[in-house]
Amino acid sequence: VKVSKQPFLGEIHTAHIQKTLPKKPFHVEPRNIVEDDPQERVSAEAAILNSRVNYYSRLTASSDRLLSPPNHVIPGPEELYIYSPLGTAFKVTGSDHSSKNPSIITIFAIWNTMMGTSILSIPWGIKQAGFTLGIIILIFTGLLMLYCCYIVLKSPKAIPYVDASDWEFPDVCRYYFGKFGQWSSWFFSMVSLIGAMVVYWVLMSNFLYNSGQFIYNYAHNVNMSDSEFGTNGSDKVICPFPNTDPGGNYTTSTVYFANSGNETSDVSFENWWSKTNTIPLYLIPLLLPLLCFRSASFFARFTFLGTISVVYLIVLVTIKTVHLGFHLEFHWFDTSQFYVPEFRLLFPQFTGVLTLAFFIHNCIITLMKSNKHQENNVRDLSVAYLLVGLTYLYVGVLIFAAFPSPPLSKDCIEPNFLDNFPTSDVMVFVARTFLLFQMITVYPLLGYLVRVQVMGQIFGNHYPSFFHVLALNILIVGSGVLMAKFYPNIGSIIRFSGATCGLALVFVFPALVQMISLRRQGVLRWPSALFHTFLILLGVANLLAQFFM
């Protein structure tokens, strides 16, 4: 007999556990299922429990839910035994016990899930906030996000008298706030997913363009160094848009920009291979059919590429920093020709980026369920956040510090820091190729998550028909194409989507859930109420500030 976390009692009875239905016993005819030596006899407590379940099973048929045994009658997963007619009992170990992960695997699973496209915008965010203020904001935001994620993680366990073991955070929101909580949490979760897909489309267009440009230039011996504004030497750094100083106090392009006036690349190739006009359209026949797959299990096999890409980015940043060295000067409030102040009023742009960079709140409960030692969940979550924060600090600080100023201004750091390296850079070409292939495999997974949630909420079916799915995918792809063509600024897209989804899923709902839970327990005190009210106001201010930057 195959046993999977279901208690067998009496003649034998078991609890058939479902997500939406209460636990109900059903009858199994007595048969000899004991093949090994008995491990222990049936205790008096077990006999009483057996009688109770027997009693409930005789009251009603298994199809009637009215008199099914309540949850406190059915033993917990750690107390399950097989009771045979021979009077012996065997401890049941769940069949998925082997699928539980040790803490180290859980920590790196969270790290890998949280590490996304935001890492490319961390140096730009530090530049927008100022070097010193940027580091402070990164640490402070990481701590706040960790605390709110902790609230989300423990929220199902804080609900009394209800079996919430299979609940996700939208279910918790539905419990506290009704349909409004469920639908609003679903909506903001969709904002984060669709925002990520739009960023992916912009980045895939960027990486495909630069990779194709590298191959074309290499095949035709085209030298683009004379038409690129940047430094000289083997480790060239460029400034795609030299006039980026918001104060407009200087113009470096007239001093350092040297354009020979001769276009060395083929004009016809440039017409057909344009970053904003053609490349976003070329991705449609590749990715739109992949989004229509009924299952995304094939693409899930390539998730390891995300880890490889991040590790390669860290190696790339380290090598570039060693070659370029540090270029830092501290100007606390005044703007100089090559350096930005340590404290800038544009810092809310960085908080918006970090809200998405540290965002894992909508899936942390699911990730932690696979942890073998549930008592270590808080510790493992904290360690994972520490690793993520250190990774962001490492990449952001090194790129900002190594950016060659002079001759270039720190304001030249792009929202995608790979754009500050020329197309001809081989190491950067490898990074772009890795990231492109990784995003091509992850993009259908994100589309699958959007489809499951949208179609499941509206039609009650994850795949109602091919035309329903095609219409949804066309809308998603169309939004990505429009952004890649008219507004390919991943920094702004990330900060707006991060601040929007973070308002509900990071700040407002976790803070309200915590206050309501403490109040019902009678332990809510005014310092806690003030702090959680401050979190809500912080989330609102974070979103509103994005519109004034």
Side-chain angles (χ1 to χ4, degrees), residues 40-226:
E40 60 179 282
R41 303 291 297 178
V42 179
S43 64
E45 282 185 317
I48 295 173
L49 183 61
N50 166 46
S51 299
R52 287 180 181 174
V53 177
N54 236 332
Y55 170 73
Y56 278 103
S57 66
R58 296 179 189 278
L59 285 178
T60 181
S62 61
S63 60
D64 189 351
R65 297 172 51 189
L66 183 61
L67 295 175
S68 59
N71 291 334
H72 69 272
V73 172
I74 304 298
E78 68 280 357
E79 301 172 345
L80 304 186
Y81 290 84
I82 297 177
Y83 297 98
S84 81
L86 305 180
T88 56
F90 293 87
K91 184 73 174 179
V92 174
T93 57
S95 61
D96 62 341
H97 180 74
S98 60
S99 66
K100 297 288 187 179
N101 297 322
S103 292
I104 187 67
I105 300 298
T106 303
I107 290 170
F108 277 99
I110 298 172
W111 176 84
N112 188 35
T113 304
M114 217 181 303
M115 281 287 124
T117 56
S118 301
I119 192 173
L120 300 174
S121 296
I122 297 297
W124 174 80
I126 292 179
K127 181 257 293 187
Q128 295 299 91
F131 184 64
T132 302
L133 183 58
I135 294 176
I136 295 173
I137 287 177
L138 195 152
I139 297 173
F140 178 71
T141 306
L143 292 175
L144 285 182
M145 297 285 286
L146 169 60
Y147 175 70
C148 295
C149 195
Y150 160 74
I151 294 176
V152 172
L153 178 61
K154 74 181 186 68
S155 59
K157 300 177 182 178
I159 299 176
Y161 314 119
V162 177
D163 181 16
S165 57
D166 292 328
W167 283 18
E168 299 294 339
F169 193 60
D171 300 314
V172 176
C173 293
R174 180 184 58 192
Y175 173 81
Y176 284 105
F177 311 112
K179 285 291 185 179
F180 170 78
Q182 180 184 13
W183 280 94
S184 56
S185 62
W186 169 82
F187 171 78
F188 286 106
S189 180
M190 287 298 96
V191 169
S192 66
L193 286 174
I194 296 176
M197 295 186 74
V198 170
V199 172
Y200 268 45
W201 200 276
V202 175
L203 285 174
M204 285 187 293
S205 302
N206 181 303
F207 296 149
L208 181 59
Y209 168 80
N210 284 286
S211 300
Q213 193 74 48
F214 174 88
I215 296 172
Y216 178 85
N217 292 344
Y218 181 80
H220 294 81
N221 295 319
V222 176
N223 184 8
M224 300 292 293
S225 60
D226 290 337

Side-chain angles (χ1 to χ4, degrees), residues 335-373:
T335 300
S336 67
Q337 182 177 2
F338 300 109
Y339 298 94
V340 297
E342 299 300 303
F343 298 89
R344 303 183 74 181
L345 294 178
L346 297 174
F347 70 88
Q349 295 186 355
F350 193 30
T351 61
V353 171
L354 289 175
T355 307
L356 193 63
F358 284 110
F359 182 73
I360 198 174
H361 301 60
N362 59 345
C363 60
I364 188 61
I365 297 176
T366 301
L367 286 174
M368 281 303 188
K369 283 179 181 177
S370 62
N371 197 7
K372 181 182 295 185
H373 302 286

Side-chain angles (χ1 to χ4, degrees), residues 429-486:
F429 165 74
V430 173
R432 287 168 174 150
T433 305
F434 259 123
L435 289 169
L436 175 62
F437 188 70
Q438 179 224 344
M439 291 180 179
I440 289 176
T441 57
V442 172
Y443 190 83
L445 286 175
L446 296 176
Y448 175 78
L449 293 176
V450 172
R451 182 217 310 168
V452 166
Q453 296 195 37
V454 171
M455 296 299 179
Q457 286 285 341
I458 298 176
F459 300 103
N461 187 348
H462 298 165
Y463 204 97
S465 73
F466 173 78
F467 295 102
H468 286 84
V469 173
L470 180 62
L472 175 63
N473 292 336
I474 290 175
L475 290 176
I476 296 173
V477 169
S479 61
V481 171
L482 291 176
M483 278 293 185
K485 179 175 178 60
F486 297 106

Side-chain angles (χ1 to χ4, degrees), residues 497-538:
S497 59
T500 303
C501 70
L503 171 65
L505 300 179
V506 175
F507 296 106
V508 175
F509 281 149
L512 289 177
V513 165
Q514 180 71 354
M515 285 193 290
I516 295 174
S517 176
L518 292 177
R519 185 174 180 272
R520 291 181 177 179
Q521 297 174 32
V523 293
L524 180 62
R525 301 292 181 264
W526 68 264
S528 178
L530 285 179
F531 175 72
H532 291 93
T533 303
F534 167 74
L535 286 181
I536 296 174
L537 296 177
L538 201 62

Side-chain angles (χ1 to χ4, degrees), residues 250-438:
Y250 60 90
T251 304
T252 58
S253 60
T254 59
V255 179
Y256 295 97
F257 184 59
N259 192 343
S260 62
N262 298 324
E263 295 294 335
T264 55
S265 61
D266 189 357
V267 176
S268 61
F269 174 75
E270 290 183 347
N271 292 335
W272 288 99
W273 198 255
S274 171
K275 184 187 295 187
T276 57
N277 293 329
T278 59
I279 298 297
L281 300 176
Y282 293 161
L283 290 171
I284 295 177
L286 171 64
L287 292 172
L288 185 58
L290 299 181
L291 289 176
C292 296
F293 280 21
R294 184 178 293 270
S295 173
S297 58
F298 172 76
F299 304 102
R301 303 174 185 176
F302 298 95
T303 53
F304 69 93
L305 291 174
T307 304
I308 297 176
S309 301
V310 173
V311 171
Y312 183 81
L313 276 179
I314 295 174
V315 173
L316 172 66
V317 168
T318 304
I319 294 175
K320 291 295 183 183
T321 302
V322 171
H323 289 171
L324 294 171
F326 283 173
H327 303 268
L328 288 174
E329 280 188 15
F330 294 93
H331 300 266
W332 296 105
F333 300 103
D334 59 315
T335 300
S336 67
Q337 182 177 2
F338 300 109
Y339 298 94
V340 297
E342 299 300 303
F343 298 89
R344 303 183 74 181
L345 294 178
L346 297 174
F347 70 88
Q349 295 186 355
F350 193 30
T351 61
V353 171
L354 289 175
T355 307
L356 193 63
F358 284 110
F359 182 73
I360 198 174
H361 301 60
N362 59 345
C363 60
I364 188 61
I365 297 176
T366 301
L367 286 174
M368 281 303 188
K369 283 179 181 177
S370 62
N371 197 7
K372 181 182 295 185
H373 302 286
Q374 292 292 304
E375 68 276 8
N376 297 331
N377 277 353
V378 176
R379 182 202 66 184
D380 296 344
L381 178 65
S382 303
V383 173
Y385 260 85
L386 175 64
L387 291 179
V388 171
L390 290 176
T391 305
Y392 287 153
L393 269 177
Y394 185 84
V395 172
V397 169
L398 289 190
I399 289 294
F400 182 89
F403 195 82
S405 301
L408 303 180
S409 169
K410 295 289 186 183
D411 251 324
C412 286
I413 297 177
E414 289 292 298
N416 172 11
F417 76 82
L418 294 180
D419 287 343
N420 287 116
F421 297 99
T423 305
S424 57
D425 193 309
V426 177
M427 289 192 65
V428 177
F429 165 74
V430 173
R432 287 168 174 150
T433 305
F434 259 123
L435 289 169
L436 175 62
F437 188 70
Q438 179 224 344

